[in-house]
Amino acid sequence: MITITTSLPDDLVQRLAEYANTMGMPKNKLIEKALSLYLDHLKRAAYVKSYKTAADDEDILTLAEEGMHAYFKQLEDEAR
């Protein structure tokens, strides 16, 4: 495990200490969990942005429609 050193505003450190105490966990574990959740949130936000961008891309829409046509044909073939 790598150790990092950082500076945080006093009020944030106070809030961190209060939550860590309330939750009965060390501050570093609370920071680890919060950072992990935040990075997951950023990743999901990037996916949402990419899908919104793709929704406006005619080439992507055409490709998706062709893929759906092939999928429906496969379903029909398997039903026979």
Side-chain angles (χ1 to χ4, degrees):
M1 182 176 288
I2 297 174
T3 300
I4 64 167
T5 303
T6 187
S7 299
L8 297 171
D10 293 342
D11 63 321
L12 185 58
V13 173
Q14 180 61 37
R15 289 171 53 201
L16 172 65
E18 289 169 4
Y19 275 102
N21 188 41
T22 300
M23 299 175 76
M25 64 188 326
K27 291 186 292 275
N28 66 322
K29 293 297 179 188
L30 184 55
I31 292 169
E32 181 182 333
K33 181 68 174 169
L35 182 58
S36 180
L37 289 170
Y38 183 68
L39 293 175
D40 288 346
H41 170 77
L42 290 178
K43 188 175 186 177
R44 284 191 300 275
Y47 282 134
V48 168
K49 183 178 178 183
S50 71
Y51 282 110
K52 286 181 179 179
T53 301
D56 295 331
D57 187 323
E58 288 296 322
D59 292 334
I60 295 294
L61 290 173
T62 301
L63 184 61
E65 288 172 356
E66 289 173 359
M68 289 305 295
H69 177 71
Y71 175 69
F72 286 132
K73 183 173 181 344
Q74 181 182 3
L75 289 176
E76 288 174 347
D77 291 347
E78 289 179 10
R80 294 181 200 163

